Amino acid sequence: NAVAGRANRFLSRWADEIFVGFAQAEQFFGVKSTLNVGTPVRQSFRHAKSDSSRQALGFDRHKPLILVLGGSQGARAVNHLVMKTLNHLPEVQVLHLSGAHDLDEVRQSYACRKHPSKVHAFLHEMPQAMAAASLAVTRAGASSLAELAAAGVPSILVPLPHSADQHQLANARAVAEMGG
């Protein structure tokens, strides 16, 4: 994260070198030797292809696809925001990963849509999902941001407002500062 976590800050006093995923995190480690290595991402996020991924996931190759990511636990506010706007997105396909808590409610909201939409609590095929996406709506977790960047997916970021030390807001700002 762009804001170093408390445990990392505490343990850093015994480290000889500290690797960070965002340059903004270097400031939390004083004069220690830091190296910005980015966030590791599987190669499959860089190599998955849009057309074959859409086909494998059961979507039309020629129509835009919005990927909604709420993280592994889901994001109730993101889920509700997208559910409110669905009727204003007529020609768009949607792949919505809602988390388990909101799964039934989100599925119900998509039931009357005419355009292809799929709702899952979780999806193991994330490289394919990201390759298939024309746009993602997501929280601003460091790993998700790195995967979206590797896949080249434009994104609307909705940082978790109560994340520890506002790290998701800092992550989103860091992405914006880098031209995202």
Side-chain angles (χ1 to χ4, degrees):
N1 289 307
V3 175
R6 292 178 194 145
N8 287 327
R9 291 188 302 232
F10 174 75
L11 294 171
S12 71
R13 65 185 83 180
W14 296 286
D16 294 323
E17 189 162 24
I18 298 163
F19 299 154
V20 297
F22 288 94
Q24 291 82 350
E26 292 178 12
Q27 67 180 319
F28 294 95
F29 300 111
V31 296
K32 289 281 188 175
S33 176
T34 59
L35 182 62
N36 182 0
V37 296
T39 302
V41 175
R42 290 179 281 159
Q43 288 297 319
S44 53
F45 284 96
R46 290 181 177 84
H47 300 300
K49 302 293 182 216
S50 179
D51 285 352
S52 59
S53 293
R54 283 188 186 183
Q55 193 168 15
L57 294 169
F59 289 101
D60 186 322
R61 298 180 307 133
H62 305 291
K63 292 187 179 175
L65 174 70
I66 295 177
L67 174 62
V68 182
L69 301 169
S72 58
Q73 301 300 312
R76 180 156 282 157
V78 172
N79 290 340
H80 287 190
L81 174 70
V82 172
M83 288 187 298
K84 284 181 188 177
T85 60
L86 277 177
N87 294 330
H88 302 291
L89 304 171
E91 295 289 322
V92 176
Q93 307 175 100
V94 181
L95 175 56
H96 192 137
L97 306 182
S98 67
H101 290 84
D102 291 343
L103 181 62
D104 293 335
E105 180 184 3
V106 174
R107 276 192 177 151
Q108 233 176 3
S109 74
Y110 281 86
C112 62
R113 279 196 100 229
K114 296 175 185 171
H115 299 284
S117 302
K118 295 184 183 198
V119 179
H120 301 282
F122 182 82
L123 191 68
H124 289 285
E125 299 85 6
M126 288 307 296
Q128 284 182 320
M130 289 187 184
S134 306
L135 174 75
V137 178
T138 182
R139 290 291 192 204
S143 294
S144 294
L145 293 177
E147 292 165 352
L148 289 162
V153 182
S155 305
I156 297 171
L157 304 180
V158 185
L160 180 66
H162 306 294
S163 62
D165 297 324
Q166 292 288 301
H167 72 271
Q168 286 204 2
L169 181 59
N171 291 348
R173 283 188 176 136
V175 168
E177 288 170 9
M178 291 184 278

